[in-house]
Amino acid sequence: MLTHFLPMKALFSVSSHTGLSQVWLLLFRVAVGTSMLTHGIPKLQTLLAAPEIQFPDPLGVGPVASMALAVMAEALCSVALILGLLTRLALLPLMFTMGMALFVIHSGDPFSARELAALYFLVFSTLWVTGPGKWSLDAAIGRFFK
């Protein structure tokens, strides 16, 4: 029987403060942040190396500035997410960047071209709601303010 391996209380629990969920938040943050770095690092390399930048400019600040903002979100904020440092603040540029990709830059494209941005947007939004978890620099720093 299932109840021999998993107590009924655990099976129907809605608590998200278990030790396992805290470990999962750590693994999830690191995996998602690392995945986003695979988009940010190539943009950073292009920004540093290319003499002329071809990049969407939805805010009207110029392609170089737009790419620099994307790099800041996808590279720097991803590192902050991995570390769990100023996590909710770091998630805002990531959510904004994915929102722009989803609703502005790829608005006329089929959903298959927007799907990755939509998934990242949902994941970043979920992490913003849950917070970084107990295994983060935010939690370690927060202990000093209690």
Side-chain angles (χ1 to χ4, degrees):
M1 281 194 112
L2 181 62
T3 56
H4 292 293
F5 301 105
L6 187 63
M8 293 304 281
K9 183 177 180 180
L11 185 62
F12 293 101
S13 173
V14 294
S15 172
S16 62
H17 301 290
T18 66
L20 181 59
S21 65
Q22 294 301 319
V23 171
W24 176 249
L25 272 174
L26 168 66
L27 295 174
F28 191 56
R29 253 192 14 253
V30 170
V32 169
T34 302
S35 293
M36 182 51 66
L37 271 176
T38 67
H39 299 277
I41 289 174
K43 284 182 181 77
L44 176 61
Q45 291 170 333
T46 300
L47 185 65
L48 296 174
E52 192 171 315
I53 301 295
Q54 299 291 323
F55 196 77
D57 183 23
L59 300 175
V61 296
V64 174
S66 290
M67 187 174 218
L69 290 169
V71 165
M72 188 267 310
E74 295 179 8
L76 295 179
C77 292
S78 292
V79 171
L81 177 62
I82 291 166
L83 298 173
L85 179 63
L86 300 171
T87 306
R88 285 191 170 106
L89 186 62
L91 285 164
L92 293 175
L94 287 163
M95 290 171 12
F96 182 81
T97 302
M98 292 303 105
M100 291 299 285
L102 178 61
F103 298 115
V104 178
I105 295 166
H106 296 291
S107 63
D109 295 346
F111 184 73
S112 60
R114 301 180 306 157
E115 183 178 12
L116 188 59
L119 287 172
Y120 271 120
F121 184 82
L122 289 171
V123 166
F124 293 146
S125 299
T126 300
L127 283 168
W128 192 83
V129 170
T130 64
K134 147 179 161 175
W135 300 103
S136 65
L137 288 177
D138 287 346
I141 293 167
R143 286 193 276 277
F144 289 107
F145 296 105
K146 285 189 178 186

Short mmCIF file of all heavy atoms in Angstrom, two decimals, residues 52-110:
data_model
loop_
_atom_site.label_atom_id
_atom_site.label_comp_id
_atom_site.label_asym_id
_atom_site.label_seq_id
_atom_site.Cartn_x
_atom_site.Cartn_y
_atom_site.Cartn_z
N GLU A 52 28.96 46.34 -34.76
CA GLU A 52 27.63 46.88 -34.97
C GLU A 52 26.61 45.90 -34.43
O GLU A 52 26.65 44.71 -34.73
CB GLU A 52 27.38 47.13 -36.46
CG GLU A 52 26.15 47.96 -36.71
CD GLU A 52 26.05 48.37 -38.16
OE1 GLU A 52 27.06 48.80 -38.74
OE2 GLU A 52 24.95 48.24 -38.71
N ILE A 53 25.71 46.38 -33.58
CA ILE A 53 24.75 45.51 -32.91
C ILE A 53 23.41 45.54 -33.65
O ILE A 53 22.86 46.61 -33.91
CB ILE A 53 24.54 45.97 -31.44
CG1 ILE A 53 25.85 45.95 -30.67
CG2 ILE A 53 23.46 45.15 -30.75
CD1 ILE A 53 26.46 44.59 -30.48
N GLN A 54 22.91 44.36 -33.98
CA GLN A 54 21.57 44.20 -34.52
C GLN A 54 20.74 43.54 -33.43
O GLN A 54 20.91 42.35 -33.14
CB GLN A 54 21.59 43.32 -35.78
CG GLN A 54 22.41 43.87 -36.91
CD GLN A 54 21.78 45.11 -37.52
OE1 GLN A 54 20.57 45.21 -37.65
NE2 GLN A 54 22.62 46.07 -37.88
N PHE A 55 19.86 44.31 -32.79
CA PHE A 55 19.07 43.78 -31.68
C PHE A 55 17.75 44.53 -31.64
O PHE A 55 17.71 45.73 -31.93
CB PHE A 55 19.85 43.97 -30.36
CG PHE A 55 19.32 43.15 -29.22
CD1 PHE A 55 19.58 41.79 -29.14
CD2 PHE A 55 18.56 43.73 -28.22
CE1 PHE A 55 19.11 41.03 -28.09
CE2 PHE A 55 18.08 42.98 -27.17
CZ PHE A 55 18.35 41.62 -27.10
N PRO A 56 16.65 43.86 -31.30
CA PRO A 56 15.36 44.56 -31.22
C PRO A 56 15.43 45.72 -30.22
O PRO A 56 16.11 45.64 -29.21
CB PRO A 56 14.40 43.48 -30.73
CG PRO A 56 15.05 42.18 -31.06
CD PRO A 56 16.53 42.44 -31.01
N ASP A 57 14.71 46.78 -30.54
CA ASP A 57 14.71 47.99 -29.71
C ASP A 57 13.28 48.39 -29.33
O ASP A 57 12.79 49.42 -29.77
CB ASP A 57 15.42 49.12 -30.47
CG ASP A 57 15.55 50.39 -29.67
OD1 ASP A 57 15.50 50.33 -28.42
OD2 ASP A 57 15.67 51.46 -30.29
N PRO A 58 12.60 47.57 -28.53
CA PRO A 58 11.19 47.86 -28.23
C PRO A 58 10.98 49.10 -27.37
O PRO A 58 9.89 49.67 -27.37
CB PRO A 58 10.71 46.60 -27.51
CG PRO A 58 11.94 46.06 -26.88
CD PRO A 58 13.06 46.38 -27.84
N LEU A 59 11.98 49.53 -26.63
CA LEU A 59 11.84 50.69 -25.75
C LEU A 59 12.27 51.99 -26.41
O LEU A 59 12.12 53.06 -25.83
CB LEU A 59 12.64 50.47 -24.46
CG LEU A 59 12.25 49.26 -23.61
CD1 LEU A 59 13.20 49.10 -22.44
CD2 LEU A 59 10.82 49.38 -23.13
N GLY A 60 12.86 51.89 -27.60
CA GLY A 60 13.31 53.08 -28.31
C GLY A 60 14.57 53.71 -27.73
O GLY A 60 14.79 54.90 -27.90
N VAL A 61 15.40 52.91 -27.08
CA VAL A 61 16.64 53.44 -26.49
C VAL A 61 17.87 53.11 -27.34
O VAL A 61 18.98 53.46 -26.98
CB VAL A 61 16.85 52.91 -25.04
CG1 VAL A 61 15.76 53.42 -24.12
CG2 VAL A 61 16.93 51.39 -25.01
N GLY A 62 17.64 52.44 -28.44
CA GLY A 62 18.73 52.05 -29.32
C GLY A 62 19.06 50.57 -29.14
O GLY A 62 18.88 50.03 -28.05
N PRO A 63 19.55 49.93 -30.21
CA PRO A 63 19.84 48.49 -30.12
C PRO A 63 20.95 48.15 -29.13
O PRO A 63 20.88 47.11 -28.46
CB PRO A 63 20.20 48.09 -31.54
CG PRO A 63 20.42 49.35 -32.29
CD PRO A 63 19.75 50.46 -31.55
N VAL A 64 21.96 48.99 -28.99
CA VAL A 64 23.05 48.69 -28.04
C VAL A 64 22.53 48.75 -26.61
O VAL A 64 22.79 47.85 -25.80
CB VAL A 64 24.24 49.65 -28.26
CG1 VAL A 64 25.30 49.43 -27.19
CG2 VAL A 64 24.84 49.47 -29.65
N ALA A 65 21.80 49.80 -26.30
CA ALA A 65 21.24 49.93 -24.94
C ALA A 65 20.23 48.82 -24.65
O ALA A 65 20.20 48.26 -23.54
CB ALA A 65 20.60 51.29 -24.76
N SER A 66 19.41 48.47 -25.65
CA SER A 66 18.45 47.38 -25.46
C SER A 66 19.15 46.06 -25.19
O SER A 66 18.75 45.30 -24.32
CB SER A 66 17.55 47.24 -26.69
OG SER A 66 16.68 48.34 -26.80
N MET A 67 20.22 45.81 -25.94
CA MET A 67 20.98 44.57 -25.73
C MET A 67 21.67 44.60 -24.37
O MET A 67 21.71 43.58 -23.67
CB MET A 67 21.99 44.34 -26.84
CG MET A 67 22.67 43.00 -26.75
SD MET A 67 23.73 42.71 -28.18
CE MET A 67 23.43 40.99 -28.45
N ALA A 68 22.19 45.74 -23.97
CA ALA A 68 22.84 45.86 -22.66
C ALA A 68 21.84 45.59 -21.54
O ALA A 68 22.17 44.93 -20.54
CB ALA A 68 23.47 47.24 -22.49
N LEU A 69 20.61 46.06 -21.69
CA LEU A 69 19.57 45.79 -20.69
C LEU A 69 19.22 44.31 -20.64
O LEU A 69 19.05 43.73 -19.56
CB LEU A 69 18.32 46.63 -20.97
CG LEU A 69 18.46 48.13 -20.72
CD1 LEU A 69 17.25 48.87 -21.27
CD2 LEU A 69 18.63 48.40 -19.23
N ALA A 70 19.16 43.68 -21.81
CA ALA A 70 18.89 42.24 -21.86
C ALA A 70 20.04 41.45 -21.22
O ALA A 70 19.82 40.49 -20.48
CB ALA A 70 18.67 41.79 -23.30
N VAL A 71 21.27 41.89 -21.48
CA VAL A 71 22.44 41.24 -20.88
C VAL A 71 22.41 41.40 -19.36
O VAL A 71 22.68 40.45 -18.62
CB VAL A 71 23.76 41.81 -21.46
CG1 VAL A 71 24.96 41.42 -20.62
CG2 VAL A 71 23.94 41.34 -22.90
N MET A 72 22.07 42.59 -18.89
CA MET A 72 21.99 42.83 -17.45
C MET A 72 20.99 41.86 -16.82
O MET A 72 21.27 41.24 -15.79
CB MET A 72 21.59 44.28 -17.17
CG MET A 72 21.67 44.69 -15.72
SD MET A 72 20.15 44.53 -14.72
CE MET A 72 18.92 45.32 -15.69
N ALA A 73 19.84 41.70 -17.47
CA ALA A 73 18.83 40.80 -16.93
C ALA A 73 19.28 39.34 -17.04
O ALA A 73 19.31 38.62 -16.04
CB ALA A 73 17.50 41.00 -17.65
N GLU A 74 19.63 38.92 -18.26
CA GLU A 74 19.87 37.51 -18.52
C GLU A 74 21.20 37.00 -17.97
O GLU A 74 21.33 35.80 -17.73
CB GLU A 74 19.79 37.23 -20.03
CG GLU A 74 18.40 37.45 -20.58
CD GLU A 74 18.31 37.21 -22.07
OE1 GLU A 74 19.30 36.73 -22.68
OE2 GLU A 74 17.24 37.51 -22.65
N ALA A 75 22.17 37.86 -17.77
CA ALA A 75 23.46 37.42 -17.22
C ALA A 75 23.59 37.80 -15.75
O ALA A 75 23.69 36.92 -14.89
CB ALA A 75 24.61 38.00 -18.05
N LEU A 76 23.59 39.09 -15.46
CA LEU A 76 23.81 39.52 -14.07
C LEU A 76 22.69 39.08 -13.13
O LEU A 76 22.96 38.57 -12.04
CB LEU A 76 23.99 41.03 -14.01
CG LEU A 76 25.22 41.59 -14.72
CD1 LEU A 76 25.27 43.10 -14.62
CD2 LEU A 76 26.49 40.97 -14.17
N CYS A 77 21.46 39.29 -13.54
CA CYS A 77 20.34 38.90 -12.67
C CYS A 77 20.23 37.39 -12.52
O CYS A 77 19.78 36.89 -11.49
CB CYS A 77 19.04 39.51 -13.17
SG CYS A 77 18.98 41.31 -12.99
N SER A 78 20.65 36.66 -13.55
CA SER A 78 20.67 35.20 -13.44
C SER A 78 21.68 34.73 -12.39
O SER A 78 21.41 33.80 -11.64
CB SER A 78 21.01 34.56 -14.79
OG SER A 78 19.96 34.77 -15.69
N VAL A 79 22.81 35.39 -12.32
CA VAL A 79 23.81 35.05 -11.29
C VAL A 79 23.23 35.35 -9.91
O VAL A 79 23.36 34.55 -8.98
CB VAL A 79 25.13 35.80 -11.53
CG1 VAL A 79 26.08 35.63 -10.36
CG2 VAL A 79 25.79 35.32 -12.82
N ALA A 80 22.56 36.49 -9.77
CA ALA A 80 21.93 36.83 -8.49
C ALA A 80 20.87 35.79 -8.13
O ALA A 80 20.75 35.39 -6.97
CB ALA A 80 21.32 38.23 -8.55
N LEU A 81 20.11 35.32 -9.12
CA LEU A 81 19.10 34.29 -8.88
C LEU A 81 19.76 32.99 -8.42
O LEU A 81 19.30 32.37 -7.46
CB LEU A 81 18.29 34.05 -10.16
CG LEU A 81 17.24 32.95 -10.11
CD1 LEU A 81 16.18 33.26 -9.06
CD2 LEU A 81 16.62 32.76 -11.48
N ILE A 82 20.82 32.59 -9.06
CA ILE A 82 21.53 31.37 -8.68
C ILE A 82 21.99 31.46 -7.23
O ILE A 82 21.85 30.51 -6.46
CB ILE A 82 22.72 31.11 -9.62
CG1 ILE A 82 22.22 30.73 -11.01
CG2 ILE A 82 23.66 30.05 -9.07
CD1 ILE A 82 23.28 30.77 -12.10
N LEU A 83 22.53 32.61 -6.86
CA LEU A 83 23.03 32.80 -5.49
C LEU A 83 21.92 33.03 -4.48
O LEU A 83 22.13 32.90 -3.28
CB LEU A 83 24.00 33.98 -5.45
CG LEU A 83 25.27 33.85 -6.28
CD1 LEU A 83 26.03 35.17 -6.28
CD2 LEU A 83 26.13 32.71 -5.77
N GLY A 84 20.75 33.39 -4.97
CA GLY A 84 19.66 33.75 -4.05
C GLY A 84 19.94 35.08 -3.39
O GLY A 84 19.63 35.29 -2.22
N LEU A 85 20.53 36.00 -4.12
CA LEU A 85 20.92 37.32 -3.60
C LEU A 85 20.00 38.38 -4.19
O LEU A 85 19.95 38.53 -5.42
CB LEU A 85 22.38 37.61 -3.96
CG LEU A 85 22.91 38.96 -3.51
CD1 LEU A 85 22.91 39.07 -1.99
CD2 LEU A 85 24.32 39.17 -4.05
N LEU A 86 19.30 39.09 -3.33
CA LEU A 86 18.32 40.09 -3.77
C LEU A 86 17.40 39.46 -4.82
O LEU A 86 17.12 40.04 -5.87
CB LEU A 86 19.01 41.33 -4.32
CG LEU A 86 19.92 42.08 -3.35
CD1 LEU A 86 20.71 43.16 -4.07
CD2 LEU A 86 19.10 42.67 -2.21
N THR A 87 16.94 38.27 -4.51
CA THR A 87 16.26 37.42 -5.48
C THR A 87 15.05 38.09 -6.11
O THR A 87 14.91 38.12 -7.33
CB THR A 87 15.85 36.09 -4.83
OG1 THR A 87 17.02 35.51 -4.25
CG2 THR A 87 15.26 35.14 -5.85
N ARG A 88 14.14 38.59 -5.28
CA ARG A 88 12.92 39.18 -5.85
C ARG A 88 13.25 40.42 -6.69
O ARG A 88 12.62 40.65 -7.72
CB ARG A 88 11.93 39.50 -4.75
CG ARG A 88 11.26 38.24 -4.21
CD ARG A 88 10.08 38.58 -3.31
NE ARG A 88 9.31 37.40 -3.01
CZ ARG A 88 9.33 36.78 -1.82
NH1 ARG A 88 10.07 37.25 -0.85
NH2 ARG A 88 8.59 35.72 -1.63
N LEU A 89 14.23 41.18 -6.28
CA LEU A 89 14.65 42.34 -7.07
C LEU A 89 15.27 41.89 -8.39
O LEU A 89 15.00 42.46 -9.44
CB LEU A 89 15.64 43.18 -6.26
CG LEU A 89 16.08 44.49 -6.88
CD1 LEU A 89 14.88 45.42 -7.07
CD2 LEU A 89 17.11 45.17 -6.00
N ALA A 90 16.09 40.84 -8.36
CA ALA A 90 16.73 40.32 -9.58
C ALA A 90 15.70 39.71 -10.53
O ALA A 90 15.90 39.72 -11.75
CB ALA A 90 17.78 39.28 -9.21
N LEU A 91 14.61 39.20 -10.00
CA LEU A 91 13.60 38.58 -10.85
C LEU A 91 12.81 39.61 -11.66
O LEU A 91 12.29 39.29 -12.73
CB LEU A 91 12.64 37.73 -10.01
CG LEU A 91 13.22 36.40 -9.55
CD1 LEU A 91 12.39 35.82 -8.43
CD2 LEU A 91 13.33 35.43 -10.71
N LEU A 92 12.71 40.83 -11.19
CA LEU A 92 11.93 41.85 -11.91
C LEU A 92 12.47 42.12 -13.31
O LEU A 92 11.69 42.09 -14.28
CB LEU A 92 11.83 43.13 -11.08
CG LEU A 92 11.00 43.01 -9.80
CD1 LEU A 92 11.06 44.30 -9.00
CD2 LEU A 92 9.57 42.63 -10.11
N PRO A 93 13.78 42.38 -13.49
CA PRO A 93 14.28 42.55 -14.87
C PRO A 93 14.15 41.29 -15.72
O PRO A 93 13.90 41.37 -16.93
CB PRO A 93 15.76 42.92 -14.69
CG PRO A 93 15.89 43.39 -13.30
CD PRO A 93 14.83 42.68 -12.51
N LEU A 94 14.29 40.12 -15.09
CA LEU A 94 14.12 38.88 -15.84
C LEU A 94 12.67 38.73 -16.31
O LEU A 94 12.42 38.35 -17.46
CB LEU A 94 14.53 37.68 -14.97
CG LEU A 94 16.03 37.53 -14.75
CD1 LEU A 94 16.34 36.60 -13.58
CD2 LEU A 94 16.70 37.03 -16.02
N MET A 95 11.71 39.01 -15.43
CA MET A 95 10.30 38.94 -15.81
C MET A 95 9.99 39.98 -16.89
O MET A 95 9.27 39.70 -17.85
CB MET A 95 9.41 39.13 -14.58
CG MET A 95 9.47 37.96 -13.64
SD MET A 95 8.66 38.09 -12.01
CE MET A 95 7.68 39.52 -12.05
N PHE A 96 10.53 41.19 -16.75
CA PHE A 96 10.30 42.24 -17.73
C PHE A 96 10.85 41.84 -19.10
O PHE A 96 10.18 41.99 -20.12
CB PHE A 96 10.93 43.56 -17.26
CG PHE A 96 10.69 44.70 -18.21
CD1 PHE A 96 9.49 45.38 -18.18
CD2 PHE A 96 11.66 45.07 -19.13
CE1 PHE A 96 9.26 46.43 -19.06
CE2 PHE A 96 11.43 46.11 -20.01
CZ PHE A 96 10.22 46.80 -19.98
N THR A 97 12.07 41.30 -19.11
CA THR A 97 12.69 40.88 -20.37
C THR A 97 11.89 39.78 -21.04
O THR A 97 11.65 39.82 -22.26
CB THR A 97 14.14 40.42 -20.11
OG1 THR A 97 14.87 41.49 -19.52
CG2 THR A 97 14.83 39.98 -21.39
N MET A 98 11.45 38.80 -20.28
CA MET A 98 10.65 37.71 -20.86
C MET A 98 9.28 38.23 -21.29
O MET A 98 8.73 37.78 -22.30
CB MET A 98 10.51 36.55 -19.88
CG MET A 98 11.81 35.82 -19.61
SD MET A 98 12.59 35.17 -21.11
CE MET A 98 13.92 36.34 -21.35
N GLY A 99 8.72 39.17 -20.55
CA GLY A 99 7.45 39.77 -20.94
C GLY A 99 7.57 40.53 -22.25
O GLY A 99 6.69 40.45 -23.12
N MET A 100 8.67 41.26 -22.41
CA MET A 100 8.91 41.98 -23.67
C MET A 100 9.08 41.00 -24.83
O MET A 100 8.54 41.21 -25.92
CB MET A 100 10.15 42.88 -23.56
CG MET A 100 9.98 44.05 -22.64
SD MET A 100 8.69 45.19 -23.13
CE MET A 100 9.47 46.01 -24.50
N ALA A 101 9.82 39.93 -24.60
CA ALA A 101 10.01 38.92 -25.65
C ALA A 101 8.68 38.28 -26.02
O ALA A 101 8.37 38.09 -27.20
CB ALA A 101 11.01 37.85 -25.19
N LEU A 102 7.88 37.97 -25.02
CA LEU A 102 6.62 37.28 -25.23
C LEU A 102 5.56 38.16 -25.87
O LEU A 102 4.92 37.78 -26.85
CB LEU A 102 6.12 36.74 -23.88
CG LEU A 102 4.78 36.02 -23.85
CD1 LEU A 102 4.82 34.78 -24.73
CD2 LEU A 102 4.43 35.65 -22.41
N PHE A 103 5.37 39.37 -25.32
CA PHE A 103 4.23 40.20 -25.72
C PHE A 103 4.56 41.29 -26.75
O PHE A 103 3.65 41.83 -27.36
CB PHE A 103 3.60 40.85 -24.49
CG PHE A 103 3.06 39.86 -23.51
CD1 PHE A 103 3.61 39.73 -22.25
CD2 PHE A 103 2.00 39.03 -23.85
CE1 PHE A 103 3.11 38.81 -21.34
CE2 PHE A 103 1.50 38.10 -22.96
CZ PHE A 103 2.05 37.99 -21.69
N VAL A 104 5.84 41.61 -26.93
CA VAL A 104 6.19 42.70 -27.85
C VAL A 104 7.02 42.18 -29.02
O VAL A 104 6.60 42.24 -30.17
CB VAL A 104 6.92 43.84 -27.11
CG1 VAL A 104 7.32 44.95 -28.07
CG2 VAL A 104 6.07 44.40 -25.98
N ILE A 105 8.20 41.68 -28.75
CA ILE A 105 9.15 41.31 -29.81
C ILE A 105 8.61 40.17 -30.67
O ILE A 105 8.71 40.19 -31.89
CB ILE A 105 10.53 40.97 -29.21
CG1 ILE A 105 11.11 42.24 -28.58
CG2 ILE A 105 11.47 40.41 -30.27
CD1 ILE A 105 12.28 42.01 -27.67
N HIS A 106 8.02 39.15 -30.03
CA HIS A 106 7.52 37.99 -30.76
C HIS A 106 5.99 37.96 -30.82
O HIS A 106 5.41 36.90 -31.02
CB HIS A 106 8.05 36.70 -30.13
CG HIS A 106 9.53 36.54 -30.21
ND1 HIS A 106 10.19 36.33 -31.40
CD2 HIS A 106 10.49 36.61 -29.26
CE1 HIS A 106 11.49 36.24 -31.18
NE2 HIS A 106 11.70 36.42 -29.88
N SER A 107 5.36 39.11 -30.64
CA SER A 107 3.89 39.15 -30.57
C SER A 107 3.22 38.59 -31.82
O SER A 107 2.16 37.99 -31.74
CB SER A 107 3.40 40.56 -30.28
OG SER A 107 3.75 41.42 -31.35
N GLY A 108 3.80 38.79 -32.98
CA GLY A 108 3.20 38.29 -34.23
C GLY A 108 3.61 36.89 -34.59
O GLY A 108 3.11 36.32 -35.57
N ASP A 109 4.51 36.32 -33.83
CA ASP A 109 5.00 34.97 -34.12
C ASP A 109 4.04 33.91 -33.59
O ASP A 109 3.26 34.17 -32.68
CB ASP A 109 6.38 34.76 -33.48
CG ASP A 109 7.45 35.66 -34.07
OD1 ASP A 109 7.21 36.24 -35.14
OD2 ASP A 109 8.52 35.79 -33.44
N PRO A 110 4.12 32.69 -34.13
CA PRO A 110 3.30 31.61 -33.57
C PRO A 110 3.73 31.30 -32.14
O PRO A 110 4.85 31.62 -31.73
CB PRO A 110 3.57 30.43 -34.50
CG PRO A 110 4.83 30.76 -35.21
CD PRO A 110 4.94 32.26 -35.25
#
